[in-house]
Amino acid sequence: NTVGPNGPVPPAVVNLDQNTKNPGTMQVTMGTVHQFRDAFSASADFALTKGFNEYILRNVNINPVTFQPIYPNFGSISSYGNGGFFRQYSLQTQVHYHNHRGDSLSTAYTLSYAYDNDASPSFLALYSSTISGTDPFDFSVDYGPAETVPRHDLTASGAIKAPWGIQLSPIVSLVSALRYTATTTSRTAPLAGPCPVYYSQCYPAGY
């Protein structure tokens, strides 16, 4: 297929910004552990995870002055760049119990707060493969709680010796629901605030 008066015009093109870098992460942890007699032990760790140079997809076919398409023949020209970042703050605790019979119980609880400026949920927000940033000129519009990290994560497991050589090993896991961001492409529905025509999506009232 050709592009021009005699050929079909593609609705979108995907590019890569010049001098694009590979995304990276940095993690810092510090913690403490204590043994309570012979049966109990407990530990607590604080972890900071920082993502930088993360990929964000944005529409570059918008004139920053007129906010009209630069190339009207294209619906959009998407480009990957390094405008994304990710922050996660976690408190990780563990308690272990072991008695003389060989029974054991372990619990692990993690409290996490995570934030990013990525409009698309992804692991550590390293890339956004399907959703363009809401505002191609200001990525902070999408800043908020990350959609991929639960606030609470509790796991309990154990080993219990039963008669006739049977061992019971129950595991219970409770994880809070993931956050979500409600958006709409409609320009007529009630919106939370002004939604410029060049936004890729809008936020309904109440979100």
Side-chain angles (χ1 to χ4, degrees):
N1 294 334
T2 60
V3 177
N6 299 320
V9 176
V13 175
V14 178
N15 293 327
L16 194 66
D17 289 357
Q18 290 185 350
N19 302 317
T20 299
K21 303 176 182 178
N22 288 325
T25 58
M26 178 188 72
Q27 187 175 58
V28 178
T29 62
M30 59 182 299
T32 182
V33 61
H34 186 75
Q35 183 78 32
F36 298 90
R37 296 184 178 179
D38 295 331
F40 284 96
S41 65
S43 65
D45 295 270
F46 171 78
L48 166 64
T49 302
K50 176 182 178 182
F52 53 91
N53 290 335
E54 295 173 353
Y55 295 142
I56 283 188
L57 189 66
R58 73 190 193 284
N59 182 12
V60 295
N61 191 31
I62 300 175
N63 188 305
V65 177
T66 64
F67 302 118
Q68 298 300 316
I70 299 174
Y71 303 102
N73 288 336
F74 294 90
S76 67
I77 299 178
S78 299
S79 184
Y80 284 98
N82 291 126
F85 68 87
F86 175 87
R87 303 286 186 278
Q88 180 177 349
Y89 309 89
S90 300
L91 175 62
Q92 304 166 355
T93 62
Q94 295 187 51
V95 176
H96 301 280
Y97 169 77
H98 185 86
N99 65 15
H100 65 280
R101 282 188 354 115
D103 301 331
S104 63
L105 174 67
S106 298
T107 61
Y109 170 72
T110 300
L111 173 66
S112 296
Y113 290 85
Y115 305 89
D116 63 23
N117 65 340
D118 188 355
S120 177
S122 57
F123 177 70
L124 285 180
L126 291 179
Y127 61 89
S128 174
S129 59
T130 57
I131 303 176
S132 295
T134 299
D135 186 344
F137 307 112
D138 183 7
F139 297 140
S140 66
V141 170
D142 291 316
Y143 176 79
E147 303 170 35
T148 55
V149 179
R151 178 65 53 84
H152 305 281
D153 188 342
L154 174 65
T155 301
S157 61
I160 304 172
K161 288 188 176 181
W164 305 296
I166 298 175
Q167 185 178 56
L168 304 177
S169 301
I171 299 176
V172 178
S173 180
L174 300 174
V175 181
S176 60
L178 295 175
R179 294 179 176 269
Y180 69 96
T181 300
T183 59
T184 177
T185 57
S186 172
R187 304 286 170 175
T188 57
L191 303 176
C195 187
V197 67
Y198 58 87
Y199 272 26
S200 65
Q201 56 197 355
C202 301
Y203 295 94
Y207 294 91

